[in-house]
Amino acid sequence: MFVDKALRRIVLTSILPRLPAGINGLAITLMAQQLYSSFAIGGTVSAAYLIALGLASPVFGRLVDRNGPRRIIVPVGIIHALAIAALVYAAHQRVSVPILMCFAFCAGASFPPVSMTVRAMWRKSDFPDNTKQLGFALEGVIMESVFVFGPLIVSGFLLMKSPQSALLFSAAMMLIGVILFSRSGAMERWGNVELGERHWLGPLKTMGVRRALMVSISIGATFGLQEIGMMAASKAANNEAAVGWLFAAFSIPSGIAGLLYGTRQFAWPLNRQMSIALVWISAFSLALTNVQSLWLFALGCAFCGAAVGPALTASQMQLGKLTAPEYSTEAFTWSMTLFMIALGGSFSIGGWIIERFGNGAPMFAAFVTAGLGALFCLRVPELYVAKARSE
């Protein structure tokens, strides 16, 4: 895989249009919090963005599965960039919170399905399982990198007291990124549209897929609560710009662990591997509940993040195995939908529980949601990664 120049070009050009995923949620929260002087409003506006992104994802996924990605990616990416610019303008005009949420909803509903297109490409390829696992691990590393550099970019703009500038930067990256991605060969590698009769539920008609998606909900809720908890910890320490470094402390070990995990095949079924990772995440979320020192908090984030990359890789590998080829893109968008809805909902809930119960409350809630996710994993059908044949 690494020697295939075409694949390498696809992977690299897919990074730029995904970078806004690591910028927008945090920057929207901080922009609204700064302009409207409320964490609760910031979390709620960001939730509108994330929930819309989640709701739109399966629609785009079904359109891609039925028509191919070529006619979807670029137009939607351009619309998203314009919607982000409109959101920034509306916030500076101090529109009412419901109207601002509408602008955020429109921005979230127009995020192009780049990640799901690449994941479907791996799922539909004729590579052996161990190569596909490494491909999904790379996907995890890319997304972790996005969530490392995205918050760091936001932190850089925070030094200028301007989270809204981070959103405008995000819009520019989306415009450039979708154009480069469309010329990378990804559309051709995605493969042909599978013809034939389709069930109206798409991949949701399969019980195993539905159960696997329940895990996506718990993971999304956990991450959202942890992110709002990191914001609260940095604000409590009077160092709001440190939030980017907390995200990095969480995400860098996750990316490294995910890549290492992708090069190994284990005897245990995928759902049990995920359950162990979520128990680890739950335990460290609990440990971070009452940590006051930012240095100790960052250390705890690093240990917690070490289980995230393997959990995400196993989750995507498992979903790919449970899904029929004709529903590949839609299945991954459903995963993103439920993940983002849970992420957005937990952003909103996290903002309110901080104001009611204190800065440590989101991490305690993350302990609960990750623990529930570990239990959900045991209800997913047991699947294994096939080892590569010896040469």
Side-chain angles (χ1 to χ4, degrees), residues 246-261:
L246 293 180
F247 276 48
F250 184 88
S251 298
I252 290 173
S254 173
I256 294 171
L259 189 57
L260 290 174
Y261 173 82

Side-chain angles (χ1 to χ4, degrees), residues 62 198-206 210 327 330 334:
R62 184 164 291 194
R198 295 171 184 263
H199 195 278
W200 69 275
L201 282 175
L204 298 183
K205 72 185 181 68
T206 305
R210 295 195 299 270
Y327 301 125
E330 186 179 347
W334 271 113

Side-chain angles (χ1 to χ4, degrees), residues 3-359:
V3 297
D4 190 320
K5 291 182 179 180
L7 281 175
R8 187 160 61 241
R9 184 170 60 251
I10 290 170
V11 169
L12 291 175
T13 57
S14 74
I15 295 173
L16 209 56
R18 289 194 258 191
L19 187 58
I23 295 175
N24 292 351
L26 177 60
I28 290 170
T29 302
L30 294 173
M31 178 182 70
Q33 189 273 331
Q34 181 188 86
L35 296 175
Y36 290 78
S37 302
S38 170
F39 247 126
I41 291 176
T44 301
V45 174
S46 182
Y49 167 83
L50 293 169
I51 290 171
L53 193 159
L55 290 173
S57 290
V59 177
F60 287 135
R62 184 164 291 194
L63 288 172
V64 170
D65 277 334
R66 294 187 174 185
N67 303 288
R70 184 175 299 279
R71 290 182 286 178
I72 306 296
I73 299 294
V74 174
V76 174
I78 293 171
I79 292 170
H80 175 78
L82 295 174
I84 287 290
L87 171 63
V88 172
Y89 177 78
H92 273 272
Q93 296 303 307
R94 301 297 202 284
V95 300
S96 67
V97 174
I99 293 177
L100 188 65
M101 290 174 65
C102 290
F103 276 96
F105 191 92
C106 291
S110 57
F111 200 97
V114 173
S115 292
M116 280 60 69
T117 298
V118 177
R119 290 173 192 175
M121 180 192 76
W122 288 117
R123 163 63 182 89
K124 295 169 70 175
S125 72
D126 56 2
F127 292 122
D129 268 4
N130 64 310
T131 302
K132 289 182 181 181
Q133 179 176 329
L134 186 53
F136 284 121
L138 280 173
E139 280 296 292
V141 170
I142 289 172
M143 292 311 298
E144 290 298 336
S145 299
V146 162
F147 285 106
V148 170
F149 291 107
L152 287 176
I153 290 169
V154 176
S155 293
F157 284 106
L158 282 178
L159 295 175
M160 300 182 290
K161 307 295 183 183
S162 183
Q164 55 270 30
S165 296
L167 287 170
L168 295 177
F169 174 83
S170 167
M173 293 302 98
M174 177 61 75
L175 280 175
I176 297 169
V178 292
I179 293 171
L180 292 177
F181 181 70
S182 69
R183 297 178 177 179
S184 69
M187 312 304 179
E188 291 76 18
R189 284 277 188 162
W190 181 85
N192 298 320
V193 173
E194 282 81 7
L195 303 176
E197 187 176 352
R198 295 171 184 263
H199 195 278
W200 69 275
L201 282 175
L204 298 183
K205 72 185 181 68
T206 305
M207 178 268 294
V209 170
R210 295 195 299 270
R211 291 185 176 180
L213 291 174
M214 289 296 295
V215 180
S216 295
I217 295 175
S218 67
I219 294 175
T222 299
F223 290 175
L225 290 164
Q226 288 174 330
E227 288 183 17
I228 204 80
M230 292 177 205
M231 295 180 210
S234 59
K235 185 173 179 62
N238 294 316
N239 189 1
E240 291 187 40
V243 67
W245 297 104
L246 293 180
F247 276 48
F250 184 88
S251 298
I252 290 173
S254 173
I256 294 171
L259 189 57
L260 290 174
Y261 173 82
T263 63
R264 305 285 190 274
Q265 286 79 52
F266 298 94
W268 283 15
L270 290 165
N271 65 328
R272 292 185 182 273
Q273 295 177 40
M274 291 171 59
S275 183
I276 292 170
L278 285 169
V279 167
W280 177 283
I281 294 167
S282 179
F284 276 97
S285 297
L286 180 62
L288 288 167
T289 299
N290 292 311
V291 175
Q292 304 298 320
S293 165
L294 274 183
W295 289 106
L296 288 177
F297 197 94
L299 182 63
C301 286
F303 278 103
C304 185
V308 172
L312 291 176
T313 300
S315 173
Q316 297 304 300
M317 188 71 183
Q318 179 175 256
L319 184 60
K321 281 178 163 291
L322 287 166
T323 307
E326 62 268 24
Y327 301 125
S328 295
T329 311
E330 186 179 347
F332 289 118
T333 52
W334 271 113
S335 176
M336 178 62 74
T337 289
L338 296 175
F339 180 92
M340 284 301 186
I341 289 175
L343 186 73
S346 62
F347 257 64
S348 181
I349 293 169
W352 290 105
I353 64 176
I354 286 171
E355 297 188 355
R356 184 171 179 82
F357 298 107
N359 294 323

